[in-house]
Amino acid sequence: MEIIDAIILGIIQGLTEFLPVSSSGHLEIGKAILGEDLEAETSLLFTVVLHFATALSTLVVFRKDILDLIKGALKFQWNEDLQFVTKIVISMIPAVIVGLFFEEQLEQLFGGNIMLVGFMLIITAILLYFADKAKNTNKKVSFKDAFIIGVSQAIAMLPGISRSGATISTSVLLGNDKTKAARFSFLMVVPLIFGKIAKDVLSGDLAYDSSNFTSLSIGFVAAFIAGLFACTWMIALVKKSKLIYFAIYCAIVGLIAVLFSMLNA
């Protein structure tokens, strides 16, 4: 992989991880446009590394929230912090089940299937459209909501379905406050990403090639910096109820991806 390609893909990941436009879908489209015909294992490794970078940027942006949650949970009292952590754990269950039992099938989808990505982006656009129409409230995410949002996160493992878009939209459509929905969406994915990376490293599933070290490192840095910017920006956008613009964007990119796939079939 060329250095400039790694930078471009890193920036794409960093920006689109938090913006509701599907980071995995944009990575697959980016690889196709740049001509990066990577094997499934190598493609997945690059995707995992970039997701790890954006997970770290989440820790930086929400460092105060995370420290407060840890301190509150360690009091071992059924306080608001421990309840929030419990909701995070509940939200992880669907994605963990899908990851454990359908991992091989998921890996095969990350091999440049642009037609699939296009259709999934269109579905993301529909979700965002309805979420944008929902009224804002002061409601917090409940335990039941946490599980339902977790199901959305599991479905968003498909390339083209925006994880943040699906989880925030689901949360908002359930009547939750938009700012609280965004905070929950960003925090709920962190343990999953670190857990997935730990599992892959220990099991040896990632096909690492030392010749890709430079590209992976540069892509990591680019994704981390872009992620810091996008995470902060997205929180402000959700507060202002600007999801309709992302719905339009996803619909346009999805249609372009479908046409691109048909023309290059």
Side-chain angles (χ1 to χ4, degrees):
M1 179 180 292
E2 297 294 331
I3 300 300
I4 186 63
D5 291 353
I7 293 174
I8 292 173
L9 293 175
I11 292 174
I12 289 174
Q13 163 63 27
L15 291 176
T16 58
E17 173 65 25
F18 299 105
L19 302 181
V21 294
S22 178
S23 59
S24 59
H26 277 71
L27 279 178
E28 293 303 307
I29 293 173
K31 291 171 189 174
I33 293 175
L34 294 172
E36 289 293 345
D37 187 18
L38 304 176
E39 295 182 357
E41 292 81 4
T42 304
S43 178
L44 182 63
L45 171 63
F46 192 70
T47 300
V48 168
V49 168
L50 298 189
H51 274 84
F52 179 57
T54 47
L56 286 180
S57 67
T58 306
L59 294 181
V60 173
V61 173
F62 289 100
R63 58 190 180 279
K64 185 180 183 301
D65 299 68
I66 294 172
L67 286 174
D68 288 342
L69 286 173
I70 293 174
K71 290 177 182 178
L74 290 177
K75 292 179 181 179
F76 298 105
Q77 298 175 353
W78 194 238
N79 53 31
E80 188 174 345
D81 292 322
L82 184 55
Q83 290 179 37
F84 189 89
V85 172
T86 304
K87 292 172 186 176
I88 292 291
V89 174
I90 291 173
S91 73
M92 293 167 55
I93 295 174
V96 170
I97 292 174
V98 172
L100 288 175
F101 293 100
F102 300 98
E103 185 175 21
E104 291 185 6
Q105 290 87 339
L106 283 172
E107 287 182 4
Q108 297 306 314
L109 297 177
F110 288 84
N113 191 341
I114 305 303
M115 178 72 75
L116 172 65
V117 171
F119 281 120
M120 294 302 102
L121 278 170
I122 292 172
I123 292 176
T124 296
I126 295 172
L127 279 173
L128 292 172
Y129 172 80
F130 284 111
D132 186 75
K133 300 299 180 183
K135 294 181 179 180
N136 200 14
T137 67
N138 292 318
K139 180 177 176 289
K140 296 180 181 179
V141 176
S142 68
F143 291 98
K144 179 182 177 182
D145 292 346
F147 182 79
I148 297 174
I149 296 168
V151 172
S152 293
Q153 178 166 248
I155 295 173
M157 295 172 77
L158 293 170
I161 296 289
S162 166
R163 192 206 63 81
S164 63
T167 53
I168 292 174
S169 294
T170 299
S171 185
V172 170
L173 290 172
L174 288 171
N176 294 303
D177 174 79
K178 292 183 178 180
T179 301
K180 292 183 177 68
R183 177 173 178 263
F184 188 80
S185 171
F186 295 152
L187 290 175
M188 68 186 284
V189 73
V190 175
L192 278 177
I193 293 178
F194 284 117
K196 169 66 171 148
I197 292 172
K199 175 182 177 295
D200 288 341
V201 170
L202 293 174
S203 65
D205 289 343
L206 298 180
Y208 173 71
D209 185 346
S210 58
S211 62
N212 292 325
F213 177 78
T214 301
S215 297
L216 288 171
S217 299
I218 292 177
F220 176 91
V221 173
F224 177 76
I225 295 174
L228 290 175
F229 167 77
C231 185
T232 305
W233 186 34
M234 184 57 191
I235 295 172
L237 288 174
V238 173
K239 288 180 180 179
K240 297 177 181 178
S241 301
K242 300 294 183 181
L243 295 178
I244 186 63
Y245 299 113
F246 294 107
I248 295 172
Y249 172 82
C250 286
I252 293 173
V253 174
L255 289 172
I256 292 175
V258 171
L259 291 175
F260 178 85
S261 180
M262 294 175 62
L263 292 174
N264 288 272

